[in-house]
Amino acid sequence: MINKNYIRLGNVRSVIRELFEYGNARKREIGEENVFDFSLGNPSVPPPEEFKQVLCELIRNTDPVQLHGYTSAQGAPQVRAAVAAYINGTFGDHVTADCIYMTCGAAAALTITLCALCNGGDEVVTFTPYFPEYAVFAAQAGATLVPVRSLPGTFDIDLAALASALTPKTKAVIINSPNNPSGVVYPEQSIRQLCALLEEHSAKTGSPVYLISDEPYRELVYGGERVPYVMDYYKNSIVCYSFSKSLSVPGERIGYIAVNKQAEGEVYAAVCGAGRSLGYVCAPSLLQFAVAKLMGRTSDISVYRRNRDRLCSALESFGYKTVRPQGAFYLFVEALEADAAAFCERAKKFELLLVPGDGFGCKGYVRIAYCVSPQMIERSLPAFKALANSYKNG
Ligand code: PLP
């Protein structure tokens, strides 16, 4: 018999994908410019010019057999050395090339990391609202995802809620800052307190709780906020990084895992083993060589900042309640009725495609991905206003 779990996963499209497909069909019916598709976190700004230049140079000047050939399973040594040098130069001295594993984006990085750390029955804690695929990745690792609510109003870490969620089975905690979907950046104080609590719990149970930082949005902050680097605060830490959003290259599938060299246990060996057993070896070689030359660079993210400011101010003036996001490119807004799915259905009548927050573990909210053109934001504002008015008018 074929694996029932995978049949289920394959048949049930995520709500976001479902909306995206609906949006494409609707655009064919009524025209692209009349549909306000805020469903997907697909960057709307092009990669930086340097990205094209680096690719061209690599193709022109590198031996094609080497450029397009297999690299080591965990990534080309010189690429891993470049990633390690960047991390050590930007943050503290935390890694060597042998702590880095190149992956197809953060999705693969997270799946490998969770499979490397977890044994059947383990628990993986994360904070609401969270990226829904965490539950799928944890299940793949034989673990259970334990969502812990964040502080109402700010979506910062609720330490008391976390303390009561930790058990002897807790193997890891996943944080995502800047956050999809709330846009929140955890302040340094929260990271310090989180790490102190995890230290305390690890000491009590005698086995480490690993801290996994999922960082596809690290560089996407709009007010100069500092995004604390977990390795500066916690030795049992692993960073799952992606270039998808920072360089606007989500389709190219490139990222990495960085394991703190001080982490307890043979974490990096387990990462290599998990990557091997999942078949996630030798990330795309051309992209590996390209990102090694583009560490720390971003596409022009000023567009997202302008979109955020315009959208937040307009929505607030129409009566929506928002927590102004500090980073990433999502706005998490209170729905105007208790049932967020019903609210999103009503929004569709105004050609607004919004994602209900239920899948992110937060009822009563919707996610608006504002990584779209500023023109679309402008065109969509009357629809947001009409949607709000439709509640005022009963
Ligand atoms: N983690 C979060 C929080 C995300 O928002 C995403 C993608 O949107 C991912 C992981 C996966 O990113 P990637 O494209 O690098 O696989």
Side-chain angles (χ1 to χ4, degrees):
M1 195 194 292
I2 294 177
N3 185 302
K4 281 210 172 101
N5 178 42
Y6 290 137
I7 294 177
R8 183 185 57 81
L9 277 176
N11 279 336
V12 181
R13 265 205 298 235
S14 79
V15 177
I16 299 173
R17 287 272 152 198
E18 202 78 60
L19 257 181
F20 181 66
E21 299 303 337
Y22 168 86
N24 285 340
R26 195 72 186 128
K27 282 173 199 167
R28 283 194 294 275
E29 277 165 35
I30 63 168
E32 183 116 6
E33 66 290 352
N34 299 315
V35 180
F36 313 119
D37 186 351
F38 292 99
S39 62
L40 207 60
N42 216 359
S44 60
V45 296
E49 193 52 31
E50 290 160 285
F51 178 70
K52 209 197 292 176
Q53 282 162 8
V54 164
L55 287 184
C56 291
E57 275 162 26
L58 281 169
I59 289 169
R60 253 188 240 117
N61 304 333
T62 318
D63 168 13
V65 173
Q66 192 214 337
L67 186 62
H68 303 295
Y70 286 122
T71 64
S72 305
Q74 64 271 47
Q78 67 272 39
V79 172
R80 292 185 289 114
V83 172
Y86 176 77
I87 291 173
N88 292 340
T90 312
F91 312 105
D93 178 21
H94 298 301
V95 290
T96 65
D98 287 335
C99 301
I100 308 297
Y101 191 102
M102 301 304 294
T103 63
C104 287
L110 288 160
T111 311
I112 293 173
T113 302
L114 290 170
C115 286
L117 295 178
C118 294
N119 293 293
D122 283 346
E123 292 172 356
V124 175
V125 169
T126 197
F127 302 98
T128 63
Y130 61 89
F131 184 55
E133 294 300 284
Y134 291 165
V136 179
F137 302 157
Q140 175 63 32
T144 307
L145 189 74
V146 179
V148 169
R149 74 176 168 84
S150 303
L151 290 172
T154 62
F155 294 121
D156 196 356
I157 296 172
D158 183 336
L159 288 161
L162 172 62
S164 51
L166 294 173
T167 75
K169 289 189 191 161
T170 310
K171 182 53 68 69
V173 171
I174 307 177
I175 58 169
N176 168 227
S177 166
N179 183 267
N180 171 11
S182 71
V184 161
V185 173
Y186 295 141
E188 184 181 22
Q189 171 77 347
S190 302
I191 297 294
R192 279 193 192 283
Q193 289 173 333
L194 164 70
C195 294
L197 187 56
L198 298 186
E199 296 277 11
E200 198 183 301
H201 184 77
S202 303
K204 206 161 61 191
T205 60
S207 56
V209 176
Y210 293 91
L211 180 57
I212 302 171
S213 183
D214 176 24
E215 304 200 344
Y217 304 97
R218 163 162 285 281
E219 293 81 8
L220 275 66
V221 287
Y222 306 117
E225 291 83 359
R226 195 172 78 79
V227 182
Y229 199 65
V230 287
M231 293 195 194
D232 290 340
Y233 305 88
Y234 196 71
K235 72 174 178 181
N236 287 313
S237 50
I238 298 151
V239 171
C240 293
Y241 183 85
S242 169
F243 297 89
S244 292
K245 319 285 175 164
S246 55
L247 287 176
S248 295
V249 294
E252 299 297 350
R253 315 305 302 133
I254 191 76
Y256 62 78
I257 300 165
V259 178
N260 192 328
K261 64 183 177 190
Q262 291 188 322
E264 288 170 67
E266 292 179 87
V267 177
Y268 186 69
V271 161
C272 293
R276 178 180 173 193
S277 88
L278 290 162
Y280 294 173
V281 289
C282 185
S285 55
L286 175 61
L287 268 293
Q288 283 191 46
F289 295 122
V291 295
K293 294 179 185 292
L294 293 164
M295 295 298 300
R297 309 291 208 294
T298 67
S299 48
D300 176 10
I301 62 165
S302 63
V303 178
Y304 303 140
R305 186 206 178 132
R306 285 202 298 280
N307 283 356
R308 174 198 69 165
D309 292 346
R310 181 71 179 119
L311 197 57
C312 282
S313 309
L315 294 195
E316 281 158 19
S317 76
F318 302 152
Y320 294 93
K321 283 203 194 112
T322 67
V323 174
R324 192 166 281 235
Q326 297 150 299
F329 41 46
Y330 308 99
L331 188 57
F332 210 45
V333 181
E334 275 184 40
L336 297 176
E337 62 180 292
D339 182 346
F343 175 75
C344 291
E345 276 308 306
R346 191 189 289 211
K348 275 185 185 169
K349 299 206 171 72
F350 298 86
E351 308 303 344
L352 287 166
L353 306 187
L354 317 177
V355 180
D358 303 49
F360 302 95
C362 266
K363 287 189 189 305
Y365 284 83
V366 295
R367 187 188 81 169
I368 301 173
Y370 60 80
C371 47
V372 297
S373 72
Q375 294 78 2
M376 194 187 104
I377 301 263
E378 286 309 321
R379 283 200 310 275
S380 73
L381 295 182
F384 276 111
K385 190 171 185 182
L387 174 62
N389 285 343
S390 78
Y391 282 90
K392 288 177 197 148
N393 303 333

